[in-house]
Amino acid sequence: MTLLADLLSTVFERRYRQPARYLRNDRPLEELAGDLVGSAGETSGLALAQDILSGFGDLDDEDKLVFFRTVAGRLNIDPEKVRTALDAYEKNPCKASYRDFMTASEPRRQELFRRLNRVPGATGTLVNMRADLLRLGDKDPELDALDLDLRHLFASWFNRGFLVLRPINWESPAHILEKIIAYEAVHAIHSWDDLRRRLEPADRRCFAFFHPSMPDEPLIFVEVALTKGIANSIQSLLAEDREAHPAEDADTAVFYSISNCQAGLANISFGNSLIKQVASDLAAELGGLKTFVTLSPIPGLTRWLEREGVEWHAAAPEEMKATAAHYLLNAKSRGTRPFDPVARFHLGNGAIIHAVHPDADTSDKGRAQSGGTMVNYLYDLAKVAQNHEKFATTQEVMAADAVKSLARSAALQQTSKGNADA
């Protein structure tokens, strides 16, 4: 999307965000939803859609569940029609039979959401609606299917071609800065001064993805420290008394916090595109940058250790370092997938495990989730595509030799301990 298109989309959205005033239809929302899907008129359809969206916002949780279950049931596919249409297409594969099969196999509730999205400003409302669905669904199979419909639509509506990358700095509008504070999910921002230290210095950057239909809502953002050498401690990066340096002197970009902002966009992936785009833009801006790494938490480490019956609270830093390396390379969930969610994310993006650091996050949260240990994932821009393909195909965890050596030493220590206990 060009800058001009972005500006026009944003201006249009802000100009026409407030719908015209009219009397709300007070019939049950479930009835209005059925009418909307069957509506042929554009004006009447917009009025119905606006009634549904505004009415849904007034419902309590119990009534929201009723709405979701009714939509999931009444606007579902008809299996018999799907079978009949598929048989017809198999016997005579042509445009008409394929169209009939597509019509039968798509739940009518997808068309409901598409028509709701025609209302100016509705995209954000639908994102919030899905957040309610995820919160209230409680693994209900019928509601899980409804969620898959929304995920399918959102994957198209929020694909990379529609997203706009914007820098966030100390001069950004206050309402955007307030949301950065609220949405920060990795290292809490405790005050405006804390935020200023992350945005204002020349060696600090922040970037966020926005959607033209939600111009005041960041979807995901990343905080970056421009450093000499690879950072091994979040305390040093965020220290109040640290000395800022010119960005031109940096040789490393450290992605130290990535936060998803919208609960209703869970499992809609933006982080992959965000990191690669920011790395590419920074490399173009600052020719001295040669290394792109994260300084990441290891949120599953202590949970996994406790599940394995390992006492970690009294472990020495170097022991914790080796244990973390072993965990990152070898702990699995659901077959061959890494147990750690952050590891799955970065390895899936084509990064490799570069280094492990003990006592790198001494906050209460850092101690609780990983014994204070953190990890660098290295993004080699020339190899990320190759690494991504290899991980996607084989689930092999790519790591630097030093990390592999640490993991082997931890495995040997566990074997020796097991033999001694025996």
Side-chain angles (χ1 to χ4, degrees):
M1 180 177 291
T2 66
L3 177 59
L4 177 59
D6 171 31
L7 291 173
L8 289 175
S9 296
T10 300
V11 169
F12 182 87
E13 178 63 29
R14 285 177 172 164
R15 169 65 180 83
Y16 293 101
R17 184 176 302 159
Q18 297 300 325
R21 295 183 180 274
Y22 60 90
L23 295 176
R24 181 187 297 181
N25 192 320
D26 290 328
R27 287 189 296 138
L29 297 190
E30 298 82 1
E31 291 183 16
L32 300 183
D35 289 350
L36 177 58
V37 173
S39 169
E42 182 175 352
T43 301
S44 60
L46 282 174
L48 283 168
Q50 190 169 318
D51 282 337
I52 293 169
L53 292 173
S54 58
F56 182 86
D58 295 336
L59 299 179
D60 59 24
D61 284 352
E62 184 176 349
D63 287 335
K64 286 179 179 178
L65 266 176
V66 170
F67 175 78
F68 286 140
R69 290 193 170 116
T70 302
V71 167
R74 291 182 185 175
L75 301 181
N76 199 358
I77 59 172
D78 182 330
E80 185 58 38
K81 287 184 178 179
V82 175
R83 282 189 288 267
T84 300
L86 181 59
D87 288 342
Y89 176 71
E90 188 175 23
K91 292 175 183 176
N92 180 27
C94 63
K95 181 178 180 180
S97 62
Y98 183 63
R99 181 178 59 241
D100 291 343
F101 171 68
M102 289 183 66
T103 300
S105 60
E106 179 183 275
R108 295 170 65 219
R109 57 202 181 211
Q110 287 193 17
E111 181 62 18
L112 168 67
F113 295 129
R114 278 194 286 265
R115 295 190 180 198
L116 289 173
N117 198 42
R118 293 174 183 173
V119 175
T123 304
T125 305
L126 290 173
V127 169
N128 292 333
M129 184 183 288
R130 181 172 180 246
D132 285 330
L133 176 62
L134 292 172
R135 179 174 57 86
L136 300 171
D138 196 27
K139 299 183 179 179
D140 181 314
E142 197 170 42
L143 297 187
D144 284 345
L146 179 63
D147 178 55
L148 286 175
D149 288 328
L150 279 169
R151 281 180 61 181
H152 171 73
L153 293 172
F154 285 0
S156 297
W157 299 350
F158 289 90
N159 77 57
R160 177 62 186 94
F162 292 117
L163 303 184
V164 180
L165 182 67
R166 293 177 181 161
I168 306 296
N169 54 51
W170 190 241
E171 305 303 320
S172 296
H175 68 277
I176 297 294
L177 298 183
E178 287 175 344
K179 288 173 181 177
I180 296 298
I181 293 174
Y183 291 141
E184 167 59 58
V186 184
H187 304 292
I189 300 173
H190 300 288
S191 65
W192 283 95
D193 285 339
D194 191 2
L195 178 65
R196 186 169 190 158
R197 287 191 294 271
R198 302 191 193 195
L199 299 183
E200 188 176 46
D203 58 355
R204 293 294 183 265
R205 304 293 170 86
C206 180
F207 299 88
F209 270 149
F210 289 81
H211 191 280
S213 293
M214 301 170 61
D216 296 325
E217 282 288 344
L219 308 181
I220 185 173
F221 64 90
V222 60
E223 296 168 70
V224 188
L226 304 176
T227 64
K228 282 188 175 182
I230 295 176
N232 60 10
S233 163
I234 195 64
Q235 290 86 233
S236 62
L237 284 184
L238 301 181
E240 293 185 20
D241 58 352
R242 75 168 193 88
E243 181 181 354
H245 299 281
E248 294 75 14
D249 292 348
D251 59 18
T252 302
V254 181
F255 302 87
Y256 66 88
S257 180
I258 303 172
S259 297
N260 288 295
C261 305
Q262 307 298 323
L265 293 176
N267 298 312
I268 308 297
S269 179
F270 306 118
N272 183 356
S273 298
L274 178 64
I275 291 175
K276 293 175 183 177
Q277 185 67 60
V278 169
S280 177
D281 289 356
L282 287 174
E285 177 192 354
L286 300 168
L289 291 179
K290 304 301 180 186
T291 304
F292 299 88
V293 298
T294 73
L295 182 61
S296 298
I298 314 177
L301 178 56
T302 56
R303 180 161 50 95
W304 180 80
L305 291 174
E306 289 167 358
R307 190 187 75 174
E308 297 294 308
V310 177
E311 293 291 337
W312 60 270
H313 295 84
E318 289 304 310
E319 182 181 357
M320 203 66 190
K321 178 180 178 179
T323 299
H326 169 71
Y327 161 79
L328 291 168
L329 266 67
N330 299 304
K332 307 294 181 183
S333 66
R334 288 192 290 177
T336 59
R337 288 166 53 83
F339 184 86
D340 194 83
V342 176
R344 290 196 299 269
F345 172 77
H346 289 297
L347 294 169
N349 287 350
I352 71 168
I353 302 172
H354 179 71
V356 180
H357 306 289
D359 289 334
D361 183 357
T362 58
S363 67
D364 291 342
K365 180 180 178 181
R367 292 291 188 195
Q369 68 183 5
S370 65
T373 311
M374 300 187 77
V375 55
N376 299 127
Y377 294 96
L378 174 67
Y379 280 82
D380 184 336
L381 301 186
K383 296 180 179 179
V384 289
Q386 174 186 338
N387 292 342
H388 162 75
E389 291 296 333
K390 187 171 185 179
F391 181 78
T393 303
T394 68
Q395 296 288 296
E396 178 183 349
V397 175
M398 305 287 288
D401 289 342
V403 177
K404 293 178 182 178
S405 178
L406 275 172
R408 285 194 295 268
S409 69
L412 288 173
Q413 289 174 9
Q414 288 187 357
T415 301
S416 299
K417 185 177 183 298
N419 291 337
D421 292 340

